[in-house]
């Protein structure tokens, strides 16, 4: 791996004047939070839009940004991709896409444009060729173990304040998919080898991890079964994701490099694909220079439960600076759908609209510097940075974090709603219960300062199934073993589901009906034709096996002994 010292961040010296009336822009894209209470929703951003659902390698699932608890003065980003990685999903498992770029973006001046961007691209090292389908052909004890037949490396680039990208790392090691204990008996060692410290104090990790998001996804079964009976099951337990983690000094991302004067940053992730893709090519795809944004994520749950189906793909392609210019999107924020659904099912009155509280939480950050913001606290808006030009501020959906908020020794899963100001929506920690927070938020807990008692239990999934570590990259190791434990989920017939023996099948489903519907030119009805086809297939397989055995025996007989000269073919 090669590392290149990065340049000191540079900051814009001049900014175009622009009047932005914060209150008029509104948009609370997101759906969730409010000042101070819990909630419900679907997987943070797992398969949330039609196009990304068909392209999991570029699907941002979650974004976390928090002050590093054991390393004062450093900020940690964790971004995840590829939802629902079943640990046994071989033989190809779950590589990052080689024709995509994975980005973490930071806005420190509030204009909704990236002032710092960190970009990863991946390359395959594939030794399998035409000789095997195996990911590894023996135990893997290190990232350069010859038994590891497929692995990936990354290039990390960064840019600041509009300057061109500069390479920080080439050939960076990626932790492989965790195949199982027989193949990777010391996976923690592989994780450690894939964690790198760079000049300037940066720490970087890329590879597979346990999916840290926790929730009960039966929310989509008419909001937890219509009577809150479908709660308490962590749907994502046992699944993995691909993670990118980065830890950098505050001064590298704060406006003018001064986190004391300018402690607030906004963060979002994106994935870019080449504008034109060539299919059918094996191995690494050619590096594209003309990429387009195909996935985006800031706050959790925004694209899932705020935007309607026909806007989801568009939102994934939209830069934050455009958020407030889309009336249909703005309306979904100021007049959200979820509280109405909850009112219809559970009778909990939806808060009055327009929802300026959601605008403040998701679009502007919590601040007293907006005229209509109902939450009278200065917490995490870039407007609170001393060197921000207020007239250039642009409401937009992103995850905002105040770096000056002291680290909480005993984090509360409900974050700000529970008085723990370091938690979501002031950034997001791995232990924050985003779903419960979001539901309380859309139900107006931020405006009232009280949790909605009827929904206080949320989805009854309050923590991840695997614990997190106390040091970078903090994530739990990938799961091993099948998620499906063999019990099924009710797809098979139960005693009560047995068909009525007295019921008569539809004529077309009886043997006679099939015979009448399908006959071939040779006059055989369909069942007979199937039987003949099966029989001939078995005969063919038997013949093939017999031929292979015969050839093997002949070769065995012809194989020269040590004393015999090799005969030319």
């Amino acid at each position: 791996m090669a590392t290149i010292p990065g340049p000191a961040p540079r900051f814009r010296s001049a900014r175009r004047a622009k009047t932005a009336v914060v209150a008029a822009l509104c948009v609370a894209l997101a759906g969730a939070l409010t000042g101070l209470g819990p909630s419900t929703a679907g997987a943070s951003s797992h398969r949330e839009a039609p196009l990304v659902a068909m392209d999991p390698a570029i699907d941002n699932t979650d974004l976390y940004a928090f002050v590093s608890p054991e390393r004062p003065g450093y900020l940690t980003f964790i971004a995840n991709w590829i939802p629902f990685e079943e640990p046994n999903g071989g033989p190809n498992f779950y590589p990052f896409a080689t024709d995509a770029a994975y980005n973490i973006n930071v806005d420190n001046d509030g204009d909704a444009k990236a002032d710092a961007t960190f970009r990863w691209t991946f390359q395959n090292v594939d030794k399998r060729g035409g000789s095997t389908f195996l990911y590894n052909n023996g135990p893997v004890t290190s990232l350069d173990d010859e038994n590891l037949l497929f692995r990936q490396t990354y290039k990390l680039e960064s840019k600041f304040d509009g300057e061109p990208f500069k390479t920080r790392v080439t050939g960076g090691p990626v932790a492989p998919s965790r195949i199982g204990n027989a193949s990777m008996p010391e996976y923690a060692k592989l994780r450690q080898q894939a964690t790198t410290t760079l000049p300037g104090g940066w720490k970087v990790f890329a590879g597979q991890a346990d999916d840290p998001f926790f929730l009960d996804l039966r929310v989509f079964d008419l909001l937890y079964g219509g009577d809150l009976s479908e709660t308490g099951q962590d749907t994502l337990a046992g699944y993995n994701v691909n993670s990118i983690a980065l830890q950098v000094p505050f001064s590298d991302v704060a406006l003018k490099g001064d986190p004391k004067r300018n402690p607030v940053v906004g963060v979002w992730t994106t994935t870019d694909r080449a504008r034109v893709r060539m299919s059918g090519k094996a191995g690494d795809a050619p590096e594209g220079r003309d990429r387009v944004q195909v996935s985006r994520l800031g706050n959790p749950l925004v694209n899932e439960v705020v935007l309607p189906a026909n806007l989801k793909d568009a939102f994934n392609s939209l830069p934050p600076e455009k958020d407030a210019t889309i009336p249909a999107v703005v309306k979904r924020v100021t007049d959200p759908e979820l509280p109405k659904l909850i009112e219809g099912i559970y009778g909990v009155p939806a808060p009055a609209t327009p929802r300026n509280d959601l605008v403040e939480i998701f679009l502007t950050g919590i601040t007293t510097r907006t005229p209509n913001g109902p939450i009278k606290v200065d917490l995490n808006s870039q407007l609170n940075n001393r060197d921000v030009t207020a007239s250039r501020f642009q409401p937009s959906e992103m995850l905002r974090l105040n770096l000056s908020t002291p680290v909480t020794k005993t984090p509360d899963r409900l974050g700000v709603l529970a008085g723990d100001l370091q938690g979501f929506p002031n950034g997001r920690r791995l232990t924050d219960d985003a779903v419960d927070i979001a539901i309380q938020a859309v139900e107006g807990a931020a405006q009232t300062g009280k949790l909605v008692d009827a929904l206080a239990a949320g989805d009854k999934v309050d923590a991840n199934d695997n614990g997190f570590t106390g040091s970078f990259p903090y994530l739990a190791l990938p799961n091993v073993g099948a998620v499906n434990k063999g019990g099924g989920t009710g797809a098979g017939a139960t005693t009560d589901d047995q068909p009525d023996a007295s019921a008569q099948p539809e004529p077309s489903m009886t043997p006679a009906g099939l015979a009448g519907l399908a006959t071939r030119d040779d006059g055989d009805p369909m069942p007979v034709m199937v039987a003949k086809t099966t029989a001939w297939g078995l005969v063919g397989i038997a013949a093939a096996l017999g031929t292979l055995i015969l050839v093997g025996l002949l070769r065995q007989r012809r194989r020269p002994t040590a004393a015999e000269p090799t005969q030319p073919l």
Side-chain angles (χ1 to χ4, degrees):
M1 178 184 71
T3 63
I4 296 89
R10 299 177 61 183
F11 303 91
R12 295 188 181 94
S13 57
R15 303 184 182 281
R16 293 174 297 172
K18 181 179 179 184
T19 30
V21 182
V22 172
L25 294 173
C26 55
V27 189
L29 287 170
L33 287 159
T34 41
L36 327 165
S39 93
T40 61
S44 178
S45 188
H46 299 55
R47 307 180 75 252
E48 84 287 357
L51 289 180
V52 297
M54 295 188 293
D55 192 0
I58 56 90
D59 186 0
N60 293 150
T61 63
D62 279 285
L63 169 65
Y64 303 83
F66 53 90
V67 174
S68 307
E70 85 293 7
R71 199 179 186 197
Y74 282 79
L75 165 64
T76 296
F77 308 102
I78 296 176
N80 297 332
W81 281 268
I82 312 180
F84 296 105
E85 294 183 3
E86 218 286 347
N88 289 344
N92 296 305
F93 296 96
Y94 308 99
F96 288 98
T98 57
D99 60 346
Y102 300 83
N103 310 294
I104 295 176
N105 306 284
V106 180
D107 170 26
N108 54 36
D109 59 11
D111 66 355
K113 299 178 182 177
D115 300 294
T117 298
F118 307 92
R119 182 172 72 187
W120 286 258
T121 50
F122 293 85
Q123 302 81 41
N124 293 339
V125 180
D126 192 346
K127 301 178 181 178
R128 295 171 298 181
S131 61
T132 183
F133 56 83
L134 291 171
Y135 194 89
N136 58 294
N137 60 1
V140 176
T141 58
S142 67
L143 294 182
D144 58 359
D145 194 313
E146 62 180 9
N147 292 335
L148 184 60
L149 302 180
F150 178 88
R151 62 188 179 90
Q152 291 193 298
T153 62
Y154 64 81
K155 179 169 71 173
L156 169 60
E157 302 164 282
S158 63
K159 73 172 186 178
F160 299 93
D161 200 36
E163 295 293 326
F165 276 104
K166 294 188 176 180
T167 301
R168 298 297 305 266
V169 177
T170 57
V174 176
S177 294
R178 189 177 187 182
I179 310 306
N181 292 329
S183 292
M184 299 175 180
E186 298 180 85
Y187 192 86
K189 183 178 177 181
L190 305 182
R191 157 75 67 84
Q192 185 178 22
Q193 292 174 353
T195 303
T196 306
T197 300
L198 305 181
W202 294 13
K203 289 187 176 182
V204 189
F205 167 79
Q208 195 179 47
D210 164 63
D211 190 336
F213 192 47
F214 50 89
L215 84 168
D216 194 323
L217 262 179
R218 290 177 289 179
V219 63
F220 295 118
D221 186 17
L222 297 181
L223 292 179
Y224 299 119
D227 57 359
L228 293 178
S229 62
E230 297 180 1
T231 58
Q233 178 192 79
D234 184 358
T235 306
L236 298 178
Y239 288 100
N240 298 320
V241 290
N242 278 18
S243 297
I244 291 176
L246 175 68
Q247 192 174 79
V248 299
F250 289 171
S251 57
D252 282 4
V253 293
L255 179 60
K256 295 186 175 180
D258 189 346
K260 291 185 178 179
R261 288 180 56 84
N262 306 300
V264 177
V265 295
V267 186
W268 70 102
T269 60
T270 54
T271 320
D272 301 334
R273 278 279 200 196
R275 188 179 299 276
V276 177
R277 298 178 62 193
M278 302 296 290
S279 62
K281 180 182 183 301
D284 288 341
E287 183 175 354
R289 298 184 181 278
D290 187 18
R291 298 189 179 102
V292 293
Q293 179 181 311
V294 292
S295 185
R296 168 189 167 187
L297 179 60
N299 287 290
L301 307 172
V302 171
N303 208 351
E304 282 78 359
V305 299
V306 175
L307 300 179
N310 66 348
L311 291 178
K312 291 181 181 298
D313 287 332
F315 178 78
N316 272 336
S317 67
L318 198 69
E321 64 191 271
K322 300 293 185 183
D323 288 347
T325 68
I326 312 296
V329 172
V330 173
K331 185 177 180 181
R332 295 292 297 192
V333 176
T334 57
D335 188 12
E337 178 182 5
L338 183 56
K340 298 175 184 177
L341 295 175
I342 293 174
E343 180 175 347
I345 296 174
Y346 294 109
V348 178
T353 59
R355 296 296 304 277
N356 290 326
D357 57 330
L358 297 182
V359 172
E360 188 171 0
I361 291 168
F362 294 103
L363 298 183
T364 66
I366 298 172
T367 179
T368 59
R369 299 191 180 190
T370 56
N372 295 328
I375 307 171
K376 303 303 180 185
V377 176
D378 286 325
L379 180 60
N380 65 344
S381 173
Q382 289 100 327
L383 285 169
N384 295 114
N385 287 338
R386 292 184 182 181
D387 295 320
V388 155
T389 302
S391 61
R392 300 195 61 210
F393 184 79
Q394 181 75 0
S396 59
E397 196 280 311
M398 61 179 67
L399 183 63
R400 292 178 170 85
L401 171 63
N402 187 331
L403 300 171
S404 68
T405 306
V407 172
T408 307
K409 292 183 178 179
T410 54
D412 192 297
R413 68 180 180 90
L414 297 182
V416 173
L417 290 177
D420 177 3
L421 298 182
Q422 204 208 12
F424 181 61
N426 184 25
R428 184 184 175 193
R429 301 167 299 196
L430 293 168
T431 55
D432 288 338
D433 193 339
V435 171
D436 283 1
I437 294 171
I439 289 182
Q440 288 290 334
V442 298
E443 288 301 306
Q447 296 186 92
T448 64
K450 298 179 180 178
L451 299 181
V452 178
D453 291 338
L455 303 172
D459 65 354
K460 295 183 180 178
V461 180
D462 298 339
N464 190 42
D465 57 319
N466 292 317
F468 303 112
T469 70
S471 59
F472 185 86
Y474 308 103
L475 296 155
L477 296 178
N479 297 284
V480 294
V483 174
N484 176 7
K485 302 303 180 185
T489 58
T494 65
T495 302
D496 295 337
D497 295 332
Q498 294 300 318
D500 183 355
S502 64
Q504 297 298 316
E506 293 293 329
S508 62
M509 299 303 294
T510 64
L514 289 172
L517 285 173
T519 57
R520 300 185 65 202
D521 292 343
D522 59 8
D524 288 339
M526 180 69 81
V528 176
M529 183 271 288
V530 171
K532 284 185 174 180
T533 302
T534 303
W536 280 111
L538 292 173
V539 170
I541 293 171
L545 289 174
T547 302
L548 288 173
I549 293 172
L550 179 59
V551 170
L553 289 174
L554 291 174
R555 286 191 170 184
Q556 184 70 23
R557 294 183 60 183
R558 292 175 178 175
R559 184 173 299 166
T561 64
E564 295 176 331
T566 302
Q567 299 296 318
L569 296 175

